[in-house]
Amino acid sequence: MSMQSETLVKADIELRHVQKSFGSVDVIHGLDLTINGGEFVVFVGPSGCGKSTLLRMIAGLEEVTDGDILIGGRDVTDSDPARRGIAMVFQSYALYPHMSVKDNLAFGLKIAHTPPAEVEARVGAAAEILKINHLLERRPGQLSGGQRQRVAIGRAIVRKPLAFLFDEPLSNLDAELRVSMRIELARLHRELGNTMVYVTHDQIEAMTLADKIVVLRDGRIEQVGTPRQVYEDPDNMFVAGFIGSPRMNFLAARLRDRRTVEVAGASLALAAELGAAPGDIQFGIRPEHLHPGAERPGAIAARVDFSEYLGNTRYLYCVTGSGETVVAEQRDGDDFEPGQPVWLGCEPSQMRLFAKTGERLR
Amino acid sequence: MATETLTTASSPRPTRNPRRRPGRRQLVGLLFVAPALLLVVAFFVIPLGMTAWMSLHNWPLLGKSSFIGLGNYEALLADGRFWSAMRFTLYYTVVVTVVIFAVAFPLALFVERQRPLAGFYRTIYFLPVVVGFGSASLLWAWLMNVDAGLFGPALQQLGLTEKRINILSSFDATFWSVIAMVVWKTSGFTMIILMTGLQGIPTDLREAARIDGASRPQLFTRITLPLMRRTIALALILSVAGSMLAFDQFYIIAQGGPRNTTLTAVYWIFNSSFVSFRMGYGAALSMVLLVILLAISVVQLRILRTHEGI
């Protein structure tokens, strides 16, 4: 347990050409990724993209087929999970049902023959941080979902790890609790300052918690960046479509010259000259950047299919002249009736253009 | 249970949908359990009552029976042969249960995980279980036969023994051979029960313990075993109850020998009832055995009772 006494708590995690196959099926295809010490990194992606597998490989619960994993500068590729200096919080909490909360927290320390006084102190400190002091004598079966989650996080804190790993920790909680635990996790990261790696399919969790988001698809990294970067400056159509709800609209378009694009019958001027040859492209625009209104130049003509009222905003589901569906956000003005014609205007700076193969045209 | 059914059926709640008839549903439910209930009554409750009734009589196989009150019970208290058979049965039960668990637990751990040929191993370990106890005993009686069998002659042929040894001539050899037979025949069953218990432990828990630094032995003693309490209780009670009722193997292989040292309680009941034709006395012995077995089971359940939430 020499790791525990080290002063360095902000450990870098480095993945070097990490690969994983189950039999002949490749699930992770040679990933390179550097997570800086103290960063909160979130892996997002659709189910089956390999985000959980990648986390489990960092934890040492899944063998690495090829490549290296370094935690705090030390090669841990073939190390035991317990010797990597990590702590993991599972989706199912994975609390030991036959032990009291206190024993759950102390289990790892007792296994490592930590002196009883220190066990007591560390368990007390973790319970303090998570406000679970009054639950210490209870068993997991007597706790609510949120309380179990706190205990699971407490068990991780007690280990004083170099890095925390979270595997969809909030998915089993109801919506309200999820929001409050999310805020609590952010607070925890601020207080502890450890490196944290967090897997989720919930993009709100990803956007709100992450210093850095890693978008994964089919075992490959699609983009790494801050929440703002992946939202506002996506590298490709997949990231643009995956991040954001409702998702970005994609319309078939034609680049007429380097400054003009034709979309659904409208001819739109671009903000900057494009370094791509004229031809068929994909035009992307987020719903909040489409402004419904009366007929005007530079606006896309469409017909309202139906309108969704959400209280603070409205979403108009429209069909363009070419039969494509677009969603536009309407913040003010009168309601549109289904079937009513509408013109959707957009700022040139909000347009995102993609090649037919999916990558961003800049 | 029947009265409960009737009361809920006769007081339908006015707030409920009037078209729903709870009475009929309950009746249908009763209809479904009726066959099982009928079997239990016909083959357990009635024979039990008859045995209790017989135990209060002097009941020869032929001729008239006469009521003697607790006479049979008084006689069995002084029956040294019965109590020594009881002692032997307890000794056998303890030994065979320990050995079965010692064999079945590693097998369960081995076949529990998904590995190549896991299904094959599960099948071959379980296979002897489907052999009847009588047939298995007959097979082993032949294997242990001093002249035509396998063990004695084979040991001699291999030069391990100078002359041909009769396994059935000494208590220890007989006893341990029967233990070997029973373990061969029943550990597959215990293995399957324990395996389901092992599979019931979420993998997350083991992984969490691995991250907490638990070694394999620690994982087993601190996580696996405590979480298998219920399963172990079930396997233990089945094994103990089965062993307390041991009869076929000792009757077929050793005929209670050598010198009646392997007479079990049930064997003695059988002798009293169907060799000496003292049916009433045999019935009294059976009742006593039932009470002892019940007591043992209650004690085991109490010891292995699980805490809340497990």
Coordinates of all heavy atoms in Angstrom, one line a residue, chain B residues 224-251:
Chain B
T224 N -17.9 -15.1 -1.0 CA -18.6 -16.2 -1.5 C -19.4 -17.0 -0.4 O -20.6 -17.2 -0.5 CB -17.7 -17.1 -2.3 OG1 -16.9 -16.4 -3.2 CG2 -18.5 -18.2 -3.1
L225 N -18.6 -17.5 0.5 CA -19.3 -18.3 1.6 C -20.4 -17.6 2.3 O -21.5 -18.2 2.4 CB -18.2 -18.8 2.6 CG -17.5 -20.2 2.2 CD1 -16.7 -20.6 3.4 CD2 -18.6 -21.2 1.9
P226 N -20.2 -16.4 2.8 CA -21.3 -15.8 3.5 C -22.5 -15.6 2.6 O -23.7 -15.7 3.1 CB -20.7 -14.4 3.9 CG -19.3 -14.6 3.9 CD -19.0 -15.6 2.9
L227 N -22.3 -15.4 1.3 CA -23.4 -15.1 0.4 C -24.1 -16.4 0.0 O -25.1 -16.4 -0.6 CB -23.0 -14.3 -0.8 CG -22.6 -12.9 -0.5 CD1 -22.1 -12.2 -1.7 CD2 -23.8 -12.1 0.1
M228 N -23.5 -17.6 0.4 CA -24.1 -18.9 0.0 C -24.8 -19.5 1.1 O -25.2 -20.7 1.0 CB -23.0 -19.8 -0.6 CG -22.6 -19.4 -2.0 SD -21.5 -20.6 -2.6 CE -22.5 -22.1 -2.8
R229 N -24.9 -18.8 2.2 CA -25.6 -19.4 3.4 C -26.8 -20.2 3.1 O -27.0 -21.3 3.5 CB -26.0 -18.3 4.4 CG -25.1 -18.2 5.6 CD -25.6 -17.0 6.4 NE -26.0 -17.4 7.7 CZ -25.2 -17.3 8.8 NH1 -23.9 -16.8 8.6 NH2 -25.6 -17.6 10.0
R230 N -27.7 -19.5 2.4 CA -29.0 -20.2 2.1 C -28.8 -21.5 1.3 O -29.4 -22.5 1.6 CB -29.8 -19.2 1.2 CG -31.1 -18.7 1.7 CD -31.6 -17.7 0.7 NE -31.8 -16.4 1.4 CZ -33.0 -16.1 1.7 NH1 -34.1 -16.8 1.6 NH2 -33.2 -14.9 2.3
T231 N -28.0 -21.4 0.3 CA -27.8 -22.6 -0.6 C -27.1 -23.7 0.2 O -27.5 -24.8 0.1 CB -26.8 -22.2 -1.8 OG1 -27.2 -20.9 -2.2 CG2 -26.9 -23.2 -2.9
I232 N -26.1 -23.3 1.0 CA -25.4 -24.3 1.8 C -26.4 -25.0 2.8 O -26.4 -26.2 3.0 CB -24.2 -23.7 2.6 CG1 -23.2 -23.3 1.6 CG2 -23.7 -24.6 3.6 CD1 -22.0 -22.5 2.2
A233 N -27.3 -24.1 3.4 CA -28.3 -24.7 4.3 C -29.2 -25.7 3.6 O -29.4 -26.8 4.1 CB -29.2 -23.6 4.8
L234 N -29.6 -25.4 2.3 CA -30.4 -26.3 1.6 C -29.7 -27.6 1.3 O -30.2 -28.7 1.6 CB -30.9 -25.7 0.3 CG -31.6 -26.6 -0.7 CD1 -32.9 -27.0 -0.2 CD2 -31.7 -25.9 -2.1
A235 N -28.4 -27.5 0.8 CA -27.7 -28.7 0.5 C -27.4 -29.5 1.7 O -27.5 -30.8 1.7 CB -26.3 -28.3 -0.2
L236 N -27.1 -28.8 2.8 CA -26.8 -29.5 4.1 C -28.0 -30.3 4.6 O -27.9 -31.5 4.9 CB -26.4 -28.5 5.1 CG -25.7 -29.0 6.3 CD1 -24.3 -29.6 5.9 CD2 -25.4 -27.9 7.4
I237 N -29.2 -29.7 4.6 CA -30.4 -30.3 5.1 C -30.7 -31.5 4.2 O -31.1 -32.6 4.7 CB -31.6 -29.3 5.2 CG1 -31.3 -28.4 6.4 CG2 -32.9 -30.1 5.3 CD1 -32.2 -27.2 6.5
L238 N -30.6 -31.4 2.9 CA -30.9 -32.5 2.0 C -30.0 -33.6 2.3 O -30.4 -34.8 2.3 CB -30.9 -32.1 0.5 CG -32.0 -31.2 0.1 CD1 -31.8 -30.8 -1.4 CD2 -33.3 -32.0 0.2
S239 N -28.7 -33.3 2.4 CA -27.7 -34.3 2.6 C -27.8 -35.0 4.0 O -27.8 -36.3 4.0 CB -26.3 -33.7 2.5 OG -25.3 -34.6 2.8
V240 N -28.1 -34.3 5.0 CA -28.2 -34.8 6.3 C -29.5 -35.7 6.4 O -29.5 -36.9 6.9 CB -28.3 -33.7 7.4 CG1 -28.8 -34.3 8.7 CG2 -26.9 -33.1 7.6
A241 N -30.6 -35.2 5.9 CA -31.9 -35.9 5.9 C -31.7 -37.2 5.1 O -32.1 -38.3 5.6 CB -33.0 -35.1 5.4
G242 N -31.1 -37.1 4.0 CA -30.9 -38.3 3.1 C -30.0 -39.4 3.8 O -30.3 -40.6 3.8
S243 N -28.9 -38.9 4.5 CA -28.0 -39.8 5.2 C -28.6 -40.4 6.4 O -28.3 -41.6 6.7 CB -26.7 -39.1 5.5 OG -26.2 -38.4 4.4
M244 N -29.4 -39.7 7.1 CA -30.1 -40.2 8.3 C -31.0 -41.4 7.9 O -31.3 -42.2 8.8 CB -30.9 -39.1 9.0 CG -30.0 -38.1 9.8 SD -29.1 -38.9 11.2 CE -30.4 -39.2 12.3
L245 N -31.5 -41.4 6.7 CA -32.4 -42.4 6.3 C -31.7 -43.5 5.5 O -32.3 -44.3 4.8 CB -33.5 -41.8 5.4 CG -34.4 -40.8 6.1 CD1 -35.4 -40.1 5.2 CD2 -35.2 -41.4 7.3
A246 N -30.3 -43.6 5.6 CA -29.6 -44.5 4.8 C -30.0 -46.0 5.1 O -30.2 -46.3 6.2 CB -28.1 -44.4 5.1
F247 N -30.2 -46.7 4.0 CA -30.6 -48.1 4.2 C -30.1 -49.0 3.0 O -29.3 -49.9 3.3 CB -32.1 -48.2 4.2 CG -32.6 -49.6 4.1 CD1 -32.3 -50.6 5.1 CD2 -33.4 -50.0 3.0 CE1 -32.8 -51.9 5.0 CE2 -33.9 -51.3 2.9 CZ -33.6 -52.2 3.9
D248 N -30.5 -48.6 1.8 CA -30.2 -49.5 0.6 C -28.7 -49.9 0.5 O -28.4 -51.1 0.4 CB -30.5 -48.8 -0.7 CG -31.7 -48.0 -0.7 OD1 -32.0 -47.3 0.4 OD2 -32.4 -47.9 -1.7
Q249 N -27.8 -48.9 0.6 CA -26.4 -49.2 0.4 C -25.9 -50.2 1.5 O -25.1 -51.1 1.1 CB -25.6 -47.9 0.4 CG -25.6 -47.0 1.7 CD -26.7 -46.0 1.6 OE1 -27.9 -46.4 1.2 NE2 -26.5 -44.8 2.0
F250 N -26.3 -50.0 2.7 CA -25.8 -51.0 3.7 C -26.4 -52.3 3.7 O -25.8 -53.3 3.9 CB -26.0 -50.3 5.1 CG -25.1 -49.2 5.4 CD1 -25.6 -47.9 5.3 CD2 -23.7 -49.3 5.6 CE1 -24.8 -46.8 5.5 CE2 -22.9 -48.2 5.8 CZ -23.4 -47.0 5.7
Y251 N -27.7 -52.3 3.2 CA -28.4 -53.6 3.1 C -27.9 -54.4 1.9 O -27.6 -55.6 2.1 CB -29.9 -53.3 2.9 CG -30.8 -54.5 2.7 CD1 -31.0 -55.4 3.7 CD2 -31.5 -54.7 1.5 CE1 -31.8 -56.5 3.5 CE2 -32.3 -55.8 1.3 CZ -32.4 -56.7 2.3 OH -33.2 -57.8 2.2

